Amino acid sequence: DAGITQSPRHKVTETGTPVTLRCHQTENHRYMYWYRQDPGHGLRLIHYSYGVKDTDKGEVSDGYSVSRSKTEDFLLTLESATSSQTSVYFCAISDRWLGNEQFFGPGTRLTVL
Amino acid sequence: KNEVEQSPQNLTAQEGEFITINCSYSVGISALHWLQQHPGGGIVSLFMLSSGKKKHGRLIATINIQEKHSSLHITASHPRDSAVYICAVRGGSQGNLIFGKGTKLSVKP
């Protein structure tokens, strides 16, 4: 299995609080992605990174920010959590842009009350 | 209309049956991915293809670029194949992945 972990795995928080999710990889892959998965929708890209300090927005980036200060860590921050951000969040990595294989983390289930 | 449509949404099969899951898309693409999401939630990439056919074990993926259609076949299905199978296409201005909603497969012993 690719070395990719997410923390926390589960979190319950209240509306209006900031939340940070962490993705950590040991594969030295250049590209890292944050997706959210919701019932009735396919996975949707929130933000991605193509190198240290290099990030860009995906299709559902409103209300989210990211940071990548080290190759191995990609942080997703919900600046002020809302109930619409209740979701399962997946981190993924690849050695090329959407390369042959993306390796996914185990997911973080976030509930915003 | 969704850019990536999968059919069927749900599929129940008996062990040993040949299974086909379909994916149709409406955008120009450079590649198509098939992924498997286990009941526990983990997601694994199965294939990436841009033409023709690929085979891995009992899994076969085909794509017809002209018809904008791909199929995932599972031969001699087994209960451990029970999962959600997700089609994703690489398209759009940034070349992002656009995901289908998945096909939930249940294989009964």
Side-chain angles (χ1 to χ4, degrees):
Chain A
D1 289 343
I4 176 169
T5 57
Q6 291 182 231
S7 58
R9 294 292 314 280
H10 302 271
K11 187 169 181 67
V12 179
T13 192
E14 293 189 347
T15 297
T17 60
V19 176
T20 295
L21 308 183
R22 180 183 184 232
C23 177
H24 178 78
Q25 60 143 331
T26 58
E27 304 296 320
N28 202 36
H29 283 349
R30 178 180 176 187
Y31 297 94
M32 300 185 75
Y33 316 84
W34 276 109
Y35 294 98
R36 60 179 291 173
Q37 186 178 44
D38 303 290
H41 292 273
L43 286 156
R44 291 179 290 176
L45 181 66
I46 305 170
H47 280 280
Y48 62 94
S49 170
Y50 47 97
V52 173
K53 293 189 167 56
D54 292 323
T55 64
D56 207 347
K57 296 178 180 180
E59 63 178 297
V60 290
S61 60
D62 286 349
Y64 301 95
S65 62
V66 290
S67 66
R68 191 168 177 200
S69 59
K70 298 185 288 185
T71 299
E72 56 267 35
D73 289 325
F74 191 32
L75 304 181
L76 177 70
T77 297
L78 289 65
E79 290 133 14
S80 178
T82 67
S83 59
S84 65
Q85 294 175 311
T86 292
S87 187
V88 180
Y89 292 86
F90 286 96
C91 176
I93 62 174
S94 66
D95 58 352
R96 291 183 288 144
W97 173 242
L98 298 173
N100 279 3
E101 188 168 9
Q102 281 192 53
F103 298 97
F104 285 81
T108 294
R109 183 172 295 275
L110 176 68
T111 302
V112 184
L113 301 174
Chain B
K1 185 179 186 297
N2 293 325
E3 292 169 301
V4 180
E5 297 273 3
Q6 289 187 233
S7 63
Q9 285 185 302
N10 294 282
L11 181 57
T12 300
Q14 288 298 128
E15 184 173 356
E17 286 184 0
F18 180 85
I19 289 163
T20 296
I21 298 170
N22 297 298
C23 175
S24 296
Y25 52 91
S26 58
V27 297
I29 70 167
S30 56
L32 182 143
H33 296 248
W34 281 102
L35 306 102
Q36 180 192 54
Q37 185 166 25
H38 299 294
I43 300 173
V44 176
S45 291
L46 297 175
F47 296 103
M48 189 200 80
L49 62 165
S50 53
S51 65
K53 180 167 83 172
K54 285 191 176 180
K55 184 175 188 289
H56 185 257
R58 295 179 295 105
L59 301 177
I60 304 166
T62 64
I63 188 168
N64 185 318
I65 296 295
Q66 287 73 30
E67 294 186 4
K68 295 188 174 180
H69 181 268
S70 175
S71 293
L72 177 69
H73 305 286
I74 305 175
T75 61
S77 59
H78 190 276
R80 64 175 175 267
D81 297 325
S82 297
V84 175
Y85 291 85
I86 300 169
C87 171
V89 301
R90 190 194 308 175
S93 58
Q94 289 179 300
N96 291 341
L97 286 181
I98 307 167
F99 291 81
K101 296 179 183 179
T103 294
K104 185 175 182 180
L105 171 66
S106 177
V107 182
K108 306 294 185 186

